[in-house]
Amino acid sequence: MMDASDVLVERLLAWGVDTIFGLPGDGINGVFEALRKQKDRIRFIHVRHEEAAALMACAYAKFTGRLGVCIATSGPGGIHLLNGLYDAKMDHAPVLAITGLQHSDLIGTFAQQDVALDKLFIDVAVYNERVMTGAHMESVADLAIRTALSSRGVAHITIPVDVQVQGVKKGRSPRNPVHHTSAVPAYFEHVPARVELEHAADILNRGKKIAILAGQGALHATKELEEMAETLGAPVVKALLGKAAVPDDSPYTTGGIGLLGTEPSQDAIEQCDTLLMVGTSFPYVEFLPEPGTIKCVQIDVDPQRISLRHPAEAGLVGDAKNTLRALLPLLEKHDRSFLEKAQKAKVQWQRLMEERGTRPDKPMKPQVIGWELGKRIPANAIVTSDSGTITTWWARFVPALRGQKHSCSGNLATMACALPYAIAAAVAYPDRPIYCIIGDGGLSMLLGELITVAAYNLNIKIVVIKNNTLGQIKWEQMVFLGNPEYACDLYAADFVTIARGAGISAIQIEDPATCGSQLDGVVSLPGPVLIEVVVDQFTPPLPAKIKASQALKLAEALLRGEPNRMKIALTNAHDKIRELV
């Protein structure tokens, strides 16, 4: 006879789930027995920390477009999932979290691991339910999965230990017949009404200097974005999660925007008279035009996101690809002068990036590893980045090529995401090379997942950019607050030895003269490799265009007793002089 856990696994299979990330425990053992019985049909990836399992589920959803699933035991196991689940919530990744709960007759009586996880998950989940009986499981599982997929968010099911092994007939009410729900998918590819498209087209046709801002909602619309750019004579600026929406070698893009972006992109945004936003709710409004100074057309699948960051004169609710296709025939061919100006600026910017990425200085500049790595990552690779200064080096120096996938923790910007992301990518695409770009601070947080990489012999090249400091926090303390850095230094761990101890091949790079040749020796090797790259910690990840207020804050921090003020001042002065001569 089937119990509640058997039903849960059957529903997962019915919805096409074939992979679950997690960690077992006595509070979820009923579900694990059901998974054991179906181990030939559904794969369980055993991680070392539940936070990593949730991050993997998020990344699996991002890279595949399918449901990501993670599982954890009651109490602490479920609590550990939360950070990764918030990553999924904030980046709109469909994820199902399954957790255990204390025995139903002990809930609320101070029993061991008696944590009301359904109450704890209220804010993170779009669907959040405690399974009450075996008969309750089928409809709850179907609704949870459907909601996660349709809302592009987190669904959570928590199941008391005794209910996990309860028969499906117990407690069934007359209004709950067996199989009254289904796993039939429901697709929504809404295209705005003709009158809305015509209104948007009229705004765009009147524009003289149009810029396109594309985000992760446009990752599947590369061809349409390039056609739109050609028709409107508009450069495509990319939000961070939209890095792969248009390849960086395309003549139509100027690269990223914001703190990690490029100067040509910022110029295009500042100088445009019309902005077309496609699949993005880019959060840093300080990098967008002042409200009222330009016209804006926004395309987003979520109506809640229209006019969220900038007032839109026309809001087109629908899939980015389908909406762009419907809009293109209504547009007039524009002059290319604004695009050509941006293209010339991009050439100059790339020369500057090459100059920064080929410097022979010692300690090695972090831009060097980005530059050398960017030349060697194949076109079928999947690239993950962590949060911190390394995000800047990935965003600016590692180009997104046509056919590649790139991602990071976009809106949550959590540290430690890159390695779990890479594991999920390697599990989903075992035939593709995976590159993980991570800092020493981020890797330290979920260091145990190196063992997961080794255990499954995953084809991941883990590039650890080691500067022995929490670099992003250091520079934020100085540049944004004018404070001397405090509590940012890290113990200089030997990640090469740690990786080898876990069974992973590893090398160290610290000389810019040999960086390229050392990478050549390992990037084509099968299986996992850790590459520890020792870099200068005094190279700041500053915005493409420095504001006077930021320069003043840095000067203020140096004057207020920054402990490394002489090294920072000399490094920045030397770098600026080299760029000017």
Side-chain angles (χ1 to χ4, degrees), residues 3-6 8 25-32 72-75 98-108 112-118 129-137 140 156-167 170:
D3 60 26
S5 297
D6 293 322
L8 172 61
D26 61 356
I28 196 69
N29 275 341
V31 177
F32 268 83
T73 191
S74 55
I98 303 166
T99 63
L101 204 60
Q102 182 52 266
H103 288 79
S104 57
D105 62 348
L106 292 178
I107 292 172
Q112 186 185 37
Q113 296 190 347
D114 184 12
V115 178
L117 293 175
D118 50 339
E129 195 57 62
R130 180 184 299 184
V131 178
M132 306 300 289
T133 65
H136 194 206
M137 177 61 82
V140 167
H156 171 234
I157 300 173
T158 191
I159 318 161
V161 175
D162 51 320
V163 174
Q164 292 172 31
V165 295
Q166 192 176 96
K170 183 177 180 180

Side-chain angles (χ1 to χ4, degrees), residues 14 37 62 143 157 168 234 240 300 316 320-321 406 413 438 462 478 522 548:
K37 290 186 287 188
K62 283 185 176 183
L143 187 54
I157 300 173
V168 297
L240 193 60
D300 203 288
L316 302 179
K321 184 172 186 174
H406 288 247
I438 192 167
I462 305 163
M478 290 188 286
V522 296

Side-chain angles (χ1 to χ4, degrees), residues 142-366:
D142 280 340
L143 187 54
I145 294 169
R146 190 179 298 280
T147 305
L149 291 169
S150 62
S151 299
R152 296 180 302 125
V154 175
H156 171 234
I157 300 173
T158 191
I159 318 161
V161 175
D162 51 320
V163 174
Q164 292 172 31
V165 295
Q166 192 176 96
V168 297
K169 294 182 179 180
K170 183 177 180 180
R172 185 173 295 278
S173 67
R175 293 183 179 179
N176 183 25
V178 178
H179 307 319
H180 74 269
T181 59
S182 80
V184 174
Y187 299 104
F188 180 74
E189 295 186 355
H190 174 70
V191 176
R194 176 78 180 190
V195 65
E196 296 172 322
L197 292 167
E198 289 176 347
H199 176 48
D202 180 63
I203 294 171
L204 294 171
N205 284 333
R206 291 172 183 270
K208 302 300 181 183
K209 295 185 291 184
I210 304 172
I212 300 171
L213 177 58
Q216 72 165 343
L219 287 173
H220 65 309
T222 302
K223 180 175 179 291
E224 288 73 19
L225 284 172
E226 290 183 314
E227 289 180 10
M228 185 65 71
E230 173 64 27
T231 300
L232 297 177
V236 179
V237 176
K238 299 181 293 185
L240 193 60
L241 290 176
K243 180 175 173 68
V246 175
D248 282 306
D249 58 0
S250 168
Y252 298 108
T253 186
T254 51
I257 185 179
L259 287 171
L260 318 178
T262 73
E263 188 170 355
S265 289
Q266 195 58 46
D267 286 341
I269 293 294
E270 291 175 358
Q271 297 166 13
C272 72
D273 60 25
T274 307
L275 180 64
L276 173 59
M277 299 176 68
V278 186
T280 181
S281 50
F282 177 72
Y284 301 103
V285 294
E286 63 269 28
F287 292 97
L288 297 177
E290 287 289 331
T293 62
I294 65 161
K295 299 293 185 182
C296 177
V297 174
Q298 185 175 356
I299 300 170
D300 203 288
V301 73
D302 184 356
Q304 190 179 38
R305 298 279 158 169
I306 299 296
S307 289
L308 182 63
R309 310 296 184 200
H310 195 281
E313 280 73 25
L316 302 179
V317 179
D319 172 76
K321 184 172 186 174
N322 294 338
T323 303
L324 288 173
R325 282 180 175 175
L327 187 57
L328 275 164
L330 305 178
L331 299 176
E332 300 169 359
K333 183 76 172 179
H334 281 56
D335 175 79
R336 292 173 55 90
S337 57
F338 190 62
L339 174 60
E340 289 171 353
K341 179 182 178 181
Q343 289 171 335
K344 291 177 182 176
K346 178 183 176 181
V347 172
Q348 293 298 114
W349 176 262
Q350 287 176 323
R351 287 174 182 165
L352 177 60
M353 293 300 99
E354 181 175 7
E355 195 279 329
R356 291 179 179 175
T358 56
R359 291 184 179 177
D361 307 57
K362 292 183 180 180
M364 187 166 72
K365 296 292 185 182

Side-chain angles (χ1 to χ4, degrees), residues 38-67:
Q38 297 281 12
K39 63 183 179 181
D40 293 334
R41 301 175 65 194
I42 194 164
R43 165 179 53 177
F44 175 68
I45 303 299
H46 191 296
V47 306
R48 293 302 174 116
H49 196 292
E50 290 93 350
E51 178 183 350
L55 288 167
M56 290 174 198
C58 174
Y60 189 89
K62 283 185 176 183
F63 288 130
T64 67
R66 301 168 61 193
L67 183 73

